Amino acid sequence: MNWPRAMLTDSGGFQMVSLLHLADITEKGVTFQSPVDGKPMLLTPEESIQIQNRIGADIIMALDDVIKTTITGPRVEEATYRTLRWIDRCIAAHKRPHDQNLFGIVQGGLDPVLRDICVKGMVERNLPGYAIGGLSGGEDKNSFWRVVAQCTAALPEDKPRYVMGVGYPLDIVVCSALGADMYDCVYPTRTARFGTALVPEGVLKLKNRDMADDTRPIDPTCPCMVCKNYTRAYIHCLVTKDAMGSQLLSYHNLYHMMQLSRDLHSSIVEERFPKFVCDFLRRMFPKGNVPEWVCDAMEVAGIDISSCCSPPSSCQENDSKYVSE
């Protein structure tokens, strides 16, 4: 790939959810039905680690038993304890511990007791870093942030804490306030393929008719190559008929997320993170209608955002501008 920077590979566990209709999960591993020829393929914790050892990424993920967060009942407990058993198999199979950092993944659904059991079990293994898995799968935002807060509070402060599958800018800012360090998501490029750009105010839908005559850049404050050279009207013409439209929007969206990450990181290092959060929320919610779950999360994080809300200290349950794709 000739990629000169850090690299992370996943274990294949997420496919237990995304390809559930093709998978059979047992203690041995997960058997997938090949979408090509229909033949069964077994992925074990050992095989997952062996593949990742060969690839050679800086961070590799343990194979965990992934379930949708909306699932309840005994399956959640089964997945939690199996994830703990599988981490030991992953550790034993890991042949490059001095070159690659194996992260464990905390499961437990929305059950705080099971989450606590899994967190404690992972921390006892003294791994280089830890991930919070099983979120962004359809759960409500109130449940989402509470699981993140519970896990980050119990995980070591001196090791990376990685919330898997999170990519909305608002979610990243909230989770960072709660103590998370790392994220991954297809959102910036996936939403670009639907003709949507990320901007400080939320999202800009380039397929809308009112974009046809708009000669402004996507984001006048963005210095990326796309915003410097192309208008909304031009990209509007492309997104409905040419792959170049998706490519230009993907470039801009990735730049936007990288800039957000840089700004967020520098605000923490320079000890001005609370101001960063307030400025971010004012741009995204200029009317002060910050969602109630964000207000609750910020209260737990110890960040005063009352100046961002209208009327002061009053948050709204929903906001029409911030729409999930």
Side-chain angles (χ1 to χ4, degrees):
M1 290 173 63
N2 293 322
W3 179 250
R5 297 174 177 82
M7 187 184 299
L8 180 152
T9 50
D10 201 0
S11 62
F14 178 70
Q15 278 62 43
M16 294 183 199
V17 173
S18 64
L19 297 178
L20 185 60
H21 62 291
L22 299 176
D24 180 33
I25 305 162
T26 65
E27 190 63 29
K28 188 174 183 180
V30 54
T31 302
F32 294 101
Q33 180 185 350
S34 171
V36 178
D37 57 14
K39 293 182 180 178
M41 304 179 296
L42 176 65
L43 179 66
T44 65
E46 293 80 8
E47 177 69 12
S48 174
I49 297 301
Q50 289 166 11
I51 292 170
Q52 293 184 83
N53 280 165
R54 290 197 294 271
I55 294 172
D58 303 281
I59 297 172
I60 63 176
M61 304 306 299
L63 185 67
D64 55 339
D65 189 350
V66 186
I67 58 172
K68 286 188 175 182
T69 48
T70 51
I71 290 179
T72 58
R75 179 69 182 97
V76 182
E77 183 175 359
E78 177 189 47
T80 302
Y81 284 101
R82 179 173 288 147
T83 293
L84 287 172
R85 292 192 295 272
W86 281 5
I87 186 62
D88 291 327
R89 292 168 60 183
C90 289
I91 293 170
H94 186 20
K95 302 304 182 185
R96 301 179 61 186
H98 300 295
D99 302 316
Q100 297 176 283
N101 298 284
L102 173 62
F103 281 25
I105 305 174
V106 177
Q107 291 292 345
L110 302 180
D111 188 320
V113 174
L114 292 176
R115 284 282 176 177
D116 190 51
I117 290 171
C118 203
V119 166
K120 289 179 179 178
M122 289 297 169
V123 172
E124 287 174 359
R125 270 74 175 180
N126 192 28
L127 297 162
Y130 304 92
I132 302 167
L135 294 175
S136 296
E139 75 280 0
D140 64 276
K141 288 294 187 182
N142 196 50
S143 298
F144 162 77
W145 80 259
R146 291 183 187 279
V147 169
V148 173
Q150 176 189 355
C151 293
T152 53
L155 290 169
E157 290 187 2
D158 61 342
K159 294 184 178 181
R161 293 173 287 196
Y162 165 27
V163 186
M164 304 186 77
V166 167
Y168 295 146
L170 180 60
D171 292 358
I172 287 176
V173 171
V174 170
C175 289
S176 297
L178 294 170
D181 307 294
M182 293 173 55
Y183 311 93
D184 80 287
C185 194
V186 300
Y187 176 64
T189 49
R190 184 186 62 199
T191 200
R193 292 195 293 274
F194 288 98
T196 302
L198 304 180
V199 293
E201 297 77 21
V203 296
L204 187 70
K205 297 185 179 296
L206 275 300
K207 285 186 177 182
N208 289 356
R209 290 182 179 180
D210 58 354
M211 295 289 116
D213 299 314
D214 195 331
T215 56
R216 293 175 293 172
I218 293 173
D219 176 8
T221 67
C222 177
C224 82
M225 174 273 293
V226 178
C227 290
K228 283 182 176 179
N229 293 285
Y230 302 100
T231 66
R232 297 177 182 185
Y234 176 69
I235 298 175
H236 168 81
C237 293
L238 291 178
V239 291
T240 56
K241 63 186 74 171
D242 194 309
M244 180 60 72
S246 297
Q247 292 167 4
L248 291 175
L249 285 179
S250 291
Y251 186 102
H252 164 78
N253 285 354
L254 289 171
Y255 190 99
H256 178 88
M257 295 304 297
M258 290 299 294
Q259 188 62 54
L260 172 67
S261 300
R262 281 191 291 266
D263 292 345
L264 195 157
H265 179 262
S266 62
S267 75
I268 294 172
V269 172
E270 297 168 9
E271 298 183 350
R272 50 178 179 82
F273 181 64
K275 182 180 184 302
F276 169 86
V277 172
C278 287
D279 291 343
F280 175 88
L281 292 175
R282 285 193 192 96
R283 285 192 297 269
M284 183 166 282
F285 305 103
K287 296 180 180 178
N289 50 340
V290 179
E292 187 175 3
W293 71 271
V294 175
C295 298
D296 294 340
M298 290 302 104
E299 184 177 357
V300 168
I303 296 178
D304 182 6
I305 62 168
S306 58
S307 63
C308 309
C309 304
S310 179
S313 301
S314 174
C315 294
Q316 305 298 315
E317 291 186 0
N318 294 292
D319 179 73
S320 58
K321 179 183 286 291
Y322 191 72
V323 179
S324 299
E325 293 298 322

